[in-house]
Amino acid sequence: MNENNSNQDVAALAADVGAGGAIPPHEIARLTDDIVQALKSVYDPEIPADIYELGLIYKVDIADDRMVHVEMTLTTPNCPSAAELPVMVETAVAMVPGVAGAKVEVVWDPPWDQSRMSEEARVALNLW
């Protein structure tokens, strides 16, 4: 992944949440991997790249009760998929085995820009 992509820290961020908590570290690692895969299954209908590689996921928190809170953004406040993308993310994450439920919060700070995209997304969108 591109070193500028904030998503490179999502797995580490989610893994830190369970340290010393009710969920064993090996289970946090599995949940984190499965949540990332679930996020990679969600595509913006307007863009041929998944939201994780686009850099739209800012934060993932796994609580001790296995509820997952996701902070994400959109490419623009005027995104035509603004209503459906958060629901798609919530549904995908909630379907991960071992997750009790998911809540998505759309945030605008920091604003999204192309530097958050991974190399994979840049290749898919031919942005070099």
Side-chain angles (χ1 to χ4, degrees), residues 4-68:
N4 292 330
N5 188 334
S6 64
N7 286 329
Q8 66 190 0
D9 297 328
V10 170
L13 218 144
D16 286 344
V17 172
I23 306 172
H26 71 278
E27 180 67 1
I28 288 291
R30 184 199 61 81
L31 284 171
T32 300
D33 290 345
D34 291 351
I35 290 167
V36 168
Q37 288 309 307
L39 293 169
K40 287 184 172 193
S41 74
V42 179
Y43 283 74
D44 183 323
E46 305 280 319
I47 304 171
D50 69 73
I51 61 163
Y52 186 83
E53 297 299 336
L54 284 172
L56 298 180
I57 303 300
Y58 285 178
K59 186 175 182 181
V60 175
D61 284 327
I62 304 170
D64 285 346
D65 65 358
R66 295 175 179 260
M67 286 294 298
V68 177

Side-chain angles (χ1 to χ4, degrees), residues 53-105:
E53 297 299 336
L54 284 172
L56 298 180
I57 303 300
Y58 285 178
K59 186 175 182 181
V60 175
D61 284 327
I62 304 170
D64 285 346
D65 65 358
R66 295 175 179 260
M67 286 294 298
V68 177
H69 178 259
V70 178
E71 286 185 11
M72 68 174 289
T73 194
L74 303 169
T75 55
T76 174
N78 300 323
C79 176
S81 301
E84 64 189 289
L85 273 176
V87 174
M88 292 167 64
V89 170
E90 235 172 57
T91 301
V93 172
M95 291 178 57
V96 170
V99 168
K103 177 71 177 151
V104 173
E105 178 183 1

Side-chain angles (χ1 to χ4, degrees), residues 100-115:
K103 177 71 177 151
V104 173
E105 178 183 1
V106 176
V107 297
W108 302 106
D109 188 33
W112 180 87
D113 63 54
Q114 290 183 6
S115 70

